[in-house]
Amino acid sequence: MFAVIYIPDFFLQAQLRDPHDTKPTALVKTAKKSNDSKARIMALNQAARDLQVETGMTAAQGQARCGELRILHPSEEAEAEAQRILLELSVSCSRDFEETGLGICTLDLMGTRCGDEWELGWKLVEELAKTSSLRAQIGFAETPDLALMVAQQADPVRSIAGESDDEFLQQLPIEALNPPPDITMVLTLWGIHTIGDFLALPQGDVAERLGPDALDLWERVSGKKSRLLRLVRPPEDFSQTVDFDHEVDTLEPLLFMMRRVLETICARLAAAWLTAGEIRLALHFARGGGYERAFRVPDPTTEVELLFRMLHAHLEDFEAKAPIITVRLEALPARGAKRQFHLFEPGLRDPNRFAETLARLEGLLGSERVGIPEMLDCHRPDAFRMRPFQEAITDQKSNAPKPEKSFRLGLPLRRFRPPIFANVAVSSTDQRPIQISSVRVKGAIADCRGPWAISGDWWAKESRWSRKEWDVEMAGGGLYRLACEGKDEWKVEGIYG
Amino acid sequence: MADFIELHARSAFSFLRGADHPEAIVREAARHKMQAMALTDRDGVYGSARAHFAAKELKKEHGKDFRALIGAEVTLAGEAVVPILVKSRTGYQNLCQLLTRGKLRGLSETEAQENPLLNPRKDGRVTLAEVEEFADGLISLTGDEDGAILKALQRGDTDSAEKSLLQQIHVFGKENVVVEIHRHHLRGEEWINRHLIDLGDTHGLMVICSNRVESANRQGRFIADAFTSLRNRVNLDTAGKLLARNAETYLKSPAQMTALFADRPEVVENTLRVADRLEFTLENLGYEFPKFAAPAGHDEASFLREEAYRGAIKRYGEITPKIRKQLDHELGLISKLEFCGYFLIVQDIVKMAWDRDILVQGRGSAANSAVCYCLGITAVDAIGQKLLFERFLSEGRKTWPDIDLDLPSGNRREAVIQSVFQKYAPRGAAMTANVITYRGRSAMREMGKVLDIPEEILGRFSDTWGSSAINDTDELHQRMLEAGIAEQHPRLPALVHLYQSVYSLPRHLGQHSGGMIITDKQLDTVVPLENATMENRRVVQWDKDDCQDLGIIKVDLLGLGMMAALQDCVELCRERGRPIDLAQIGKDDDPATYDMLCAADTIGVFQVESRAQMATLPRLRPRKFYDLAIEVAIIRPGPIVGGMVHPYLNRRSGKEKIDYIDDAFKPALERTLGVPLFQEQVLQMAMIAADFSGSEAEELRRAISFHRSEERMAKVMSKLRAAMDQKGVPAGTQDQITGSIESFALYGFPESHAISFALLAYASAWMKVHRAAEFYVALLNNQPMGFYSRATLVKDAKAHDIRVRPVDISVSEVHCTIEADQIIRLGLNQVKGLNSQTASRIVAERKTNDFISLEDFLQRTRPSRDARRVLAKIGALNVLDDIKHRRNALWKIEKPLLEPDDLFTWKSRSELAKKDAAEENSPLPEMIPFERLQADYDGMGLTTGPHPMAYAREYLQHETKMWRASDLALGEPDQLVEIGGLVICRQRPGSAKGHVFVSLEDETGVANAFVPAETFAKYRLVITREQFLIIRGRLQIKDNVTSIYALHAEQLPWKNAQFQTQSHDFH
């Protein structure tokens, strides 16, 4: 016997988990078909249905029917979370189950002691409602496909296992079969509205007229054919969470606990012939909030000492905002590194050591300040991003623009890093700088060239910029590059020669 | 006097390479006190005409002498761009020919592969050899970073730069190459400038400065960047270094340029020297209308006279002294104004149509001319209708006469157009362009795209607001919020700004629907030509208004669906042995025809079938032809139902006193009861009240008919007021005059147009009354046209006792046909998804032998799978012996069709019949009537059976109290009623102040609702989106016109009713 847990309007339910929320709501999605770029409603709640909003309408049509209609868009995160809950529930019932689709799990109950299917069905429905506010429908039947059809029609539990299912099937709408669109179109033209109508067609004629796909449907729905489940094996859990009895405000007890947790996780990994490819650390603070950090292990390993040193190095300079009450460690499993270096390609002698050093640096400087600087493709001088080293190791390709080749040989510019802030007096007639006052450069300006004006990102309120640059010759000697950003923010950026 | 002239500037007519209208750039240049400016659009002189007129306006209004110089940036093979300036007319002609050469050739396969962002048919490149061929009279600049010289210098390759310069010198000659330097405040440009100056000095070339302008002011950078992104198909975030580094490429004043080049004053002064050498402006275009080749022994004038008199005998039978006098008068003036050739050439085009049995009718002011009537150009008897020839041509009026020719739309019009192309081949004829500008929908979609706003939000904005012009920033802001952009969206201000800036800028060049220009010389010496999107068509780079303003004569060859329908009608009548002569039926005022018009039974009738016209007809009650001309002209839907009945109607019914504002206007306004209805009357009023000269009246005429600019209208009106002030016209009278002229501008119509259209309106109404079967068949065969869908036309036919028989493969022809006086048969052309080849094959095979079975039909006609399904679905196969009903056919056609083989081919027909009879019947149930209805709409968009509302009423009988459309006339005024039906028309005329008109069709007729603006705002989405509506409101019955003043709208609660219908919305 098979059971199907079916969550109707899954994409919507994944986001609408508040049972008291009765505002009419629709979820819209843009079809990937080239001839229909409009976002169409793909799921609705009952309140919206009551107001005659229908799936397949555009958002505007839906709002025409119901001015108050709330429009949601698919959320991958919410869907993944809801699916995770569904899988967890499935695995608690049967080891042999299939993740049939988003919001659909098919369970093979053969060999399980599930007892009465009605009882089991209600239990599953209630558990989902209680723990996650997801509304489920459960169907039981002798084949997976029939069980799915039963689930789609259940209210909320229905079983046709061991019964004569003719009457039930007769009444099911043909859509319950989810036939391919071209077959649906022909069946609609034929006036075939129910599975009963469909089954009433001679099998040979169905095959002759609609092809093998339709025949397959016909055989599956008539119970003449059952398919095998594509079984899901849940991933092993390589994480552990420790809640401290007392608030921890020093490093030592935290490290002590973390070493023990690492030992456990590494033992589990080793038992599964796996290694740790990444360690994720999560700390929860007593006053709310927390800290999360992922450590990529360049050379995946189960060596506790090495992993521990990586965490230790990072936490040495870490300052928690509040005492810690919970620590959680999770290892993302990986197979052992398999990498063949090219003949002249130098490899890191000890990638994990390198990672450990990076972790220490990030702890000291902040993660946004460690990596490989990469120029951005824009006119803004020195605009760059930091590409993580780990990314650089695993992915040698970069989309960053190559530095422009300059053919013009002039005086070299030695940049001040960071630039020196300066007060600059400008001429009232032409706004040229005439006097500089800064820690390094002071005095009157004898001559200047410029301004070189550049600006960009004018469309983005938060990042628009503009600057003017001048090359100045000081009366006392020395050629400098001067830049003014914003209204009056002057900097000496470098010295020529 | 300023000492700098900008010689390198692009306008938005460089399409995605310039950010402002040419007029704006010219006005800004004049504001900076420049005496001239050169517009150098990319690969064309698209904006030059507009720049030229802007310069003329400056002269006219401010007395400023400003020369709009001509040039273009020409793209060479290899993508290097050379800016070229025009010295002389020869130079202009050469530039036009050079551009035409590249444009007509299009891109080579390699070029197209290398430049996937270009349009291979429309973008063209020219070779250096071609430039050399056409270099005479031209000056070239060294160009910007798109040019070969700067590109080389930017690489530091000074040798290549010099080599490119030497090539340029070789092509244009040393004295015609000018080195151009820029200062855009960019680091590194000085190094390039030094090298350019050195190159100039080495080769003895003049050096000038320019700002390589892209916009009139600094703000233009935003649009320029947005256009750069669009051109490269990226958004602003990912455009990176494709974008401008700063906002310096705007039109700078001479003072700014002098300051920028203070160290090299000579490069500023040199701009004047170069400008002095550019003698050519569009003032000296050199266009000539072709001469007509008169037969031996004739000149143009004598031949025109002979043709006119020959035609007069045909038209009138006998030439009375009155006719002779009029013809002599007209011919004298035409000859004096040297327009004889023009009339003969237009007649020649008319003859081309006649030779191909194509109906043709001239309209426009030509309808005032007896000569045009006699030449067969128009069908309006100007003498009989007492039309004044002076409204068409007068001695004071110097512009060319305007003759538009209406032709049957579709293939027949194309045949005439192609004949004209052939006659003036290879480069003597082209269509005028149609400049497509950014409007609500395109502005939002494209600016939203460059700002990376989600498609969905843009779609929602376009769906709800796309068609309306939103000028007010706050309103636009609000509309964007309603479309789903968050109030705090960081890009909202940029989107609002870009939307407003791009609105009305040219987006691309299309083809005008019918404007053709011809010359017997080479047209490509007048204006560059390029390929149109349509095969075998070429367009010029200017639109029809620009052409007209430059004195280029265009003949409009317009396609009218009704002409095609009328021609078909005439042919059908002839075939059926009851021929009609279109020229004759208009001569007698037929009471039955007017009865039908008075009853507003005008679905399908030309010009008077719209919702507003139908509301006016019972009030105006036309009884003679001129009444119908007034009816055509009096298109004021807003005030009529909005409670403000048109003053003409009030005066006609005696509810309002006739008032001429001033007795002096009586001669002009008498025929329309003191209300100016026609353009000619408005001009006469201006001439009387303000002593407007012929040319000033012409200016007013153009302002009224010019949709392009409100500014133009305002200017003429202030001129009119000033003239009236001078004449001492009292302020109150002035207000009345200007008020009536301004309101006229919203709905005005020239009398001659109205009469020409009224002829067609009368002819189509007459056909509907006296040749109903032919009329409906012709209409159905020429869809889409007119106001109503085919479903509504079929329903109307049935209401007129015409039996409409369904498509049937055993009798239906390709087109709809008449089976008997009151019976028509739908043709295979009504079937969606059945292509014309299959339809023709079905008819041809049937004529060989009847189809004896489904297999016989399928084997012989081989329709596609979709075609088979649609034919079965609509019941067209039911006639076959082995088909019992539609589902039976749908079952059988799905059986795979065997390829015909030897076995089959020799199988006898009786054997086939026997075999098919033995075939089992399908297990499918017969369609119920409602399913048949849906299948009809799916397959044809219409049904010959009951209207969907008949089913809906049955289904909803306990839920609603909907009135039937036919019962509304029985109600009491102001009674609260509820109507429901299929929406066939939604209208929001510009003159109706936001009020909307909705027509709902049910099984008894059409019910009309007036939706006030505030009710529309409340139910906007329901009204615009729902296919079936229920409208509740107050019944209004006035002057036999029934409508509902809507108070509430909702969707018809009829689930599962989805029909493939079309409504006529917001046109």
Side-chain angles (χ1 to χ4, degrees), chain A residues 28-30 37-39 49-54 57-67 71-73 182 185-193 200-202 205-206 208-210 375-380 401-405 407-409 449-465 468-471 481-482 496, chain B residues 152-157 184-192 194 221-223 225-226 236-248 445 450-451 455-456 460 463-464 482 488-491 493-494 497-498 865-866 869 873 887 890-896 919-920 923-925 927 931 1021-1023 1025-1026 1051-1056 1058:
Chain A
V28 298
K29 195 174 177 186
T30 308
S37 60
K38 284 186 179 170
R49 266 191 208 101
D50 292 344
L51 291 162
Q52 298 189 349
V53 183
E54 288 161 24
M57 287 178 159
T58 61
Q61 281 170 329
Q63 283 173 329
R65 291 271 166 107
C66 166
I71 301 289
L72 296 179
H73 303 274
D182 51 336
M185 193 193 72
V186 177
L187 292 178
T188 310
L189 284 175
W190 283 356
I192 304 296
H193 301 300
L201 300 176
D205 285 325
V206 168
E208 186 182 23
R209 284 165 169 79
L210 299 180
M375 298 296 287
L376 292 178
D377 177 33
C378 70
H379 293 305
R380 185 166 200 171
K402 288 182 184 155
E404 280 172 22
K405 280 184 195 166
F407 59 86
R408 290 172 208 129
L409 297 173
R449 289 273 170 85
W452 320 124
I454 38 175
S455 56
D457 294 348
W458 49 264
W459 58 92
K461 204 174 167 184
E462 70 285 5
S463 58
R464 67 178 62 137
W465 58 275
K468 284 183 178 172
E469 291 174 5
W470 301 84
D471 291 342
R481 177 179 287 185
L482 201 56
Y496 286 102
Chain B
L153 286 177
Q154 280 178 334
R155 299 195 297 271
D157 186 352
H184 289 139
H185 293 304
L186 297 175
R187 196 175 275 285
E189 68 187 356
E190 271 318 294
W191 185 89
I192 290 173
R194 268 205 309 280
R221 187 253 180 114
F222 304 138
I223 285 293
D225 274 354
L236 284 164
D237 294 308
T238 51
K241 287 184 176 163
L242 294 170
L243 302 181
R245 276 177 281 182
N246 60 30
E248 295 296 322
R445 198 161 277 285
V450 297
L451 285 169
E455 273 284 325
E456 202 182 310
R460 212 177 303 156
D463 280 358
T464 37
E482 284 170 25
Q488 298 307 321
H489 196 294
R491 291 173 182 209
H497 177 82
L498 285 180
R865 198 178 57 174
D866 288 345
R869 283 179 185 160
K873 181 162 69 176
R887 283 258 163 73
L890 282 165
W891 174 257
K892 290 188 173 178
I893 52 124
E894 292 299 335
K895 197 171 174 181
E919 278 265 316
E920 272 183 41
L924 303 180
M927 281 186 186
E931 285 175 325
L1021 281 169
V1022 175
I1023 292 171
R1025 295 277 149 202
E1026 293 295 336
Q1051 77 274 15
L1052 193 81
W1054 187 27
K1055 285 187 181 169
N1056 307 322
Q1058 292 289 324

Side-chain angles (χ1 to χ4, degrees), chain B residues 1052-1064:
Chain B
L1052 193 81
W1054 187 27
K1055 285 187 181 169
N1056 307 322
Q1058 292 289 324
F1059 293 96
Q1060 298 284 323
T1061 59
Q1062 279 183 334
S1063 57
H1064 188 92

